[in-house]
Amino acid sequence: MQMKPQLLKILFVLLLISPVAFSQEADNSAILKIIFSKYYKDEKVIAKGRLQLLSFYCKKAPNNEEVLEVISKSDFLKKNAAEIKSQIIITVDEDWSTAYNLLFDNQNQYLKSKVNACLSFEEYKIVSDRYGENNQRLMIISKPIYFGDGNNALVKVAFYRSIEHNSGSFMLLEKVNGIWTIKEYLNQWAT
């Protein structure tokens, strides 16, 4: 059987893209682990009948012009501005399910016992309204912006409680010897 040249080209491109896509999901998963480890550190393990106060939003929040403000306040980000700006896409429609599953499939079970399964905003509102407490929080994480040969990432983490009470910041992360670490918090805010 002889393959057409066009089909061979498509197959070749898919073989090249596949490892890159898996690598990025592995990085997304590692970044999620750092964020979860930091913010779920003080949460109690989910047990029958216990109300979990911190929920995780399923969708990746899009990056918007707020990233430009973060760049303007950091000399390091200014040096990589073109690469970062090219990833500001406000129409992102992706979720965290692949990275979430990669993080928790057969590993990190103690951390998983603290993290709720991800929720939509509507599902969060139902839980929040049912208990009527202002201590419920929804963690929203943006789509990571990778730059500097993939060894740096910029991620926004925000916490929604109600119309009046919210907070967040951008995290600058760096991968050193294959390990992601938080290098700096940028543009911290609270209402």
Side-chain angles (χ1 to χ4, degrees):
M1 172 166 43
Q2 187 174 352
M3 289 190 164
K4 294 181 180 178
Q6 186 69 2
L7 185 58
L8 280 174
K9 287 179 187 176
I10 292 170
L11 185 60
F12 181 71
V13 168
L14 287 174
L15 288 173
L16 288 176
I17 292 173
S18 185
V20 172
F22 179 77
S23 173
Q24 188 158 26
E25 282 306 328
D27 284 336
N28 285 346
S29 180
I31 287 172
L32 239 136
K33 181 179 180 184
I34 289 169
I35 293 169
F36 284 172
S37 296
K38 174 164 181 41
Y39 291 109
Y40 279 93
K41 176 175 52 181
D42 297 328
E43 297 295 319
K44 302 215 181 315
V45 170
I46 299 171
K48 187 175 181 179
R50 178 178 291 147
L51 177 63
Q52 177 62 282
L53 303 178
L54 181 58
S55 297
F56 174 54
Y57 183 59
C58 295
K59 293 280 189 179
K60 291 179 183 176
N63 293 296
N64 58 28
E65 52 279 343
E66 189 179 5
V67 173
L68 302 176
E69 181 182 335
V70 176
I71 292 170
S72 73
K73 295 179 180 178
S74 167
D75 290 336
F76 178 70
L77 295 179
K78 284 178 189 174
K79 293 176 187 171
N80 297 280
E83 188 177 3
I84 295 168
K85 288 177 184 179
S86 71
Q87 297 179 64
I88 298 174
I89 304 168
I90 60 171
T91 58
V92 168
D93 186 22
E94 297 177 16
D95 64 41
W96 283 104
S97 60
T98 302
Y100 183 91
N101 292 335
L102 190 59
L103 173 61
F104 290 133
D105 281 349
N106 303 317
Q107 57 185 344
N108 304 302
Q109 295 306 300
Y110 179 71
L111 181 58
K112 183 178 184 180
S113 70
K114 294 179 162 203
V115 178
N116 279 324
C118 66
L119 300 174
S120 69
F121 182 73
E122 293 76 20
E123 291 167 327
Y124 167 76
K125 286 299 291 168
I126 290 169
V127 170
S128 182
D129 291 346
R130 181 177 347 144
Y131 295 101
E133 299 177 23
N134 198 20
N135 56 3
Q136 298 283 319
R137 299 175 322 262
L138 181 64
M139 178 192 295
I140 303 167
I141 304 173
S142 71
K143 177 180 172 78
I145 295 176
Y146 294 100
F147 62 97
D149 293 329
N151 292 318
N152 295 285
L154 187 62
V155 181
K156 181 180 179 182
V157 179
F159 296 92
Y160 175 87
R161 287 194 337 192
S162 67
I163 295 297
E164 297 105 19
H165 302 289
N166 304 296
S167 62
S169 69
F170 280 83
M171 289 182 176
L172 176 59
L173 297 111
E174 181 178 29
K175 186 179 355 178
V176 178
N177 297 323
I179 306 293
W180 284 100
T181 58
I182 300 170
K183 186 174 176 179
E184 189 176 357
Y185 294 90
L186 305 161
N187 267 33
Q188 294 182 328
W189 57 275
T191 60

